[in-house]
Amino acid sequence: MNPRYSEPREEPPSRRTALVVHTVADVAAALLGLWIVLSLLDANQGNAFVQFVRETASWLAGWSQDIFTMENPHVRLALNYGLPAVVSLFVGHGIAARIRRG
């Protein structure tokens, strides 16, 4: 049998699990970043999509709300939602790397 056309190898379950963890961390960080952008651009708060992003981001960043209390509301928002986005990426990618190695 020609090796170029051989059957694809099945990936180990740990690699698929790591990919799921990696993807969830990326989606969480993307939603938090999207909320920062939508908020800074004064997106229509009555829009269903904007409400969904706001509620999801608030849930994801619940632990970090009011860590930073700057007077400038834009900086405060960026820091209070940006910190959980960065933490999500570091923790999620770290866990995924550990799963892949394990």
Side-chain angles (χ1 to χ4, degrees):
M1 181 175 216
N2 189 337
R4 288 188 336 181
Y5 300 107
S6 64
E7 297 281 325
R9 283 193 242 159
E10 210 169 299
E11 292 182 352
S14 61
R15 187 162 169 84
R16 281 183 260 146
T17 303
L19 180 61
V20 169
V21 170
H22 192 128
T23 303
V24 168
D26 288 349
V27 169
L31 283 167
L32 289 161
L34 181 59
W35 171 241
I36 293 170
V37 170
L38 290 173
S39 182
L40 293 177
L41 295 176
D42 292 325
N44 177 8
Q45 299 295 313
N47 181 282
F49 176 72
V50 174
Q51 288 176 356
F52 168 76
V53 173
R54 181 186 68 225
E55 291 169 6
T56 305
S58 292
W59 182 78
L60 290 168
W63 63 270
S64 71
Q65 292 306 298
D66 298 326
I67 286 179
F68 301 100
T69 56
M70 278 74 170
E71 281 189 40
N72 185 326
H74 296 302
V75 173
R76 185 174 55 240
L77 176 110
L79 290 174
N80 284 323
Y81 285 93
L83 175 65
V86 171
V87 168
S88 171
L89 287 174
F90 277 117
V91 170
H93 289 214
I95 290 171
R98 181 107 179 166
I99 291 170
R100 260 187 242 109
R101 276 188 260 133

